[in-house]
Amino acid sequence: MPINIYIEETGKKLDGLCDDVWELPNQINALETWLEKKGKNLIPSNYVADIGFDIRKDATGGGGTLSSNSMKIMGLIGMDVYFSEYPSSEEK
């Protein structure tokens, strides 16, 4: 799963998002949806959303935008975001 959501101290997995979607803009959208539906209901603690992403071959700028509302929710529940970059699975 490209996005793993877990408790930092124990490593206990809470959720996984995006299956085989490795593009950061799509992942950010999925994370924001998850935060609105589930994340905002978590008891404050130390959580991690580890986003494993791949650089888009044809990217020319832009990308995902994490909204201030999502950042607020993460701050309230104590969630950090890790960005884990992986090489493309496509042949170069």
Side-chain angles (χ1 to χ4, degrees), residues 4-8 11-14 46-50 82:
N4 289 304
I5 299 170
Y6 59 91
I7 300 170
E8 186 172 29
K12 179 182 177 186
K13 186 174 180 174
L14 300 177
N46 294 314
Y47 303 104
V48 171
D50 186 359
Y82 297 170

Side-chain angles (χ1 to χ4, degrees), residues 13-32:
K13 186 174 180 174
L14 300 177
D15 216 337
L17 308 174
C18 292
D19 295 324
D20 292 324
V21 177
W22 290 86
E23 293 180 347
L24 189 57
N26 293 328
Q27 293 172 323
I28 296 284
N29 289 337
L31 179 59
E32 288 190 322

Side-chain angles (χ1 to χ4, degrees), residues 18-68:
C18 292
D19 295 324
D20 292 324
V21 177
W22 290 86
E23 293 180 347
L24 189 57
N26 293 328
Q27 293 172 323
I28 296 284
N29 289 337
L31 179 59
E32 288 190 322
T33 299
W34 183 89
L35 286 166
E36 280 292 328
K37 291 181 178 179
K38 295 183 180 181
K40 68 181 180 183
N41 299 317
L42 292 174
I43 296 169
S45 187
N46 294 314
Y47 303 104
V48 171
D50 186 359
I51 301 176
F53 70 99
D54 182 11
I55 297 172
R56 295 174 294 151
K57 183 179 177 183
D58 297 326
T60 58
T65 301
L66 191 59
S67 71
S68 58

